[in-house]
C-alpha cells in the first residue's frame, strides 16, 4: 500500500492529467480504502469513520486490542514480510496503523492485503 508520494508522482508524471482524471483517481482511492475496510470488519476496529460508516482514502486501524499478543509495530513488520509497503505507525493515534491504498491497486492485490491482514490478526 502506498503513501501520498504516489499521488505527487502521478501529478509529475502526468502533467496533463486534468481535474477529471485527478477526481477519478481520488474516487478510486476512496473506493479501495472502503473495500479494504469492509474486508477487515470483524478482525479490526477502524477509527474515525464518517456518519455512514465509511472512511476517506485512508483508514486508521486500532491495534491496541492486540497489544498483549503483538503491537502495531509487529503487525506492520508482518505486513512487510508479506511484501506490502510499511503502514504509517501510531499516527495520529498511538497503537494504530494507517492504511492508505492507492488508486492503482488491483482488486487482487486488495484481496491479498485483506487476507494477510486477517491472518495477522489471528496469529
Amino acid at each position: 500500500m502506498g503513501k501520498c508520494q504516489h499521488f505527487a508522482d502521478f501529478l509529475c508524471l502526468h502533467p496533463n492529467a486534468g481535474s477529471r482524471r485527478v477526481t477519478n483517481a481520488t474516487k478510486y482511492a476512496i473506493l479501495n480504502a472502503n473495500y479494504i475496510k469492509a474486508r477487515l470488519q470483524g478482525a479490526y476496529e477502524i477509527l474515525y469513520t464518517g456518519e455512514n460508516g465509511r472512511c476517506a482514502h485512508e483508514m486508521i486501524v486500532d491495534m491496541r486490542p492486540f497489544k498483549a499478543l503483538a503491537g502495531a509495530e509487529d503487525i506492520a513488520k508482518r505486513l512487510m514480510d508479506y511484501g506490502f509497503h510499511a503502514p504509517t505507525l501510531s499516527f495520529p493515534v498511538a497503537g494504530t496503523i494507517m492504511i492508505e491504498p492507492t488508486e492503482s491497486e488491483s482488486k487482487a492485490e486488495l484481496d491479498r492485503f485483506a487476507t494477510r491482514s486477517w491472518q495477522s490478526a489471528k496469529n
Side-chain angles (χ1 to χ4, degrees), residues 12-119:
C12 292
L13 294 172
H14 303 284
N16 298 323
S19 62
R20 185 178 49 136
R21 288 186 182 160
V22 173
T23 299
N24 286 340
T26 301
K27 288 177 182 179
Y28 279 110
I30 292 169
L31 180 67
N32 287 349
N34 280 284
Y35 178 75
I36 289 178
K37 180 189 172 295
R39 289 282 319 266
L40 296 183
Q41 283 181 317
Y44 300 102
E45 181 181 356
I46 310 299
L47 304 180
Y48 304 116
T49 58
E51 290 180 15
N52 58 9
R54 293 190 179 110
C55 61
H57 67 284
E58 62 191 20
M59 72 196 83
I60 300 169
V61 183
D62 193 358
M63 297 295 166
R64 294 173 292 186
F66 301 98
K67 188 161 178 84
L69 300 172
E73 294 83 3
D74 298 317
I75 293 173
K77 287 177 186 175
R78 175 62 60 96
L79 290 172
M80 289 171 53
D81 289 343
Y82 290 134
F84 297 106
H85 191 281
T88 302
L89 290 169
S90 297
F91 178 83
V93 179
T96 64
I97 63 172
M98 184 183 299
I99 299 172
E100 304 176 74
T102 65
E103 68 281 353
S104 60
E105 299 291 346
S106 68
K107 184 176 180 299
E109 186 67 0
L110 296 173
D111 287 335
R112 189 174 81 85
F113 178 82
T115 299
R116 295 299 189 189
S117 295
W118 266 96
Q119 290 172 345

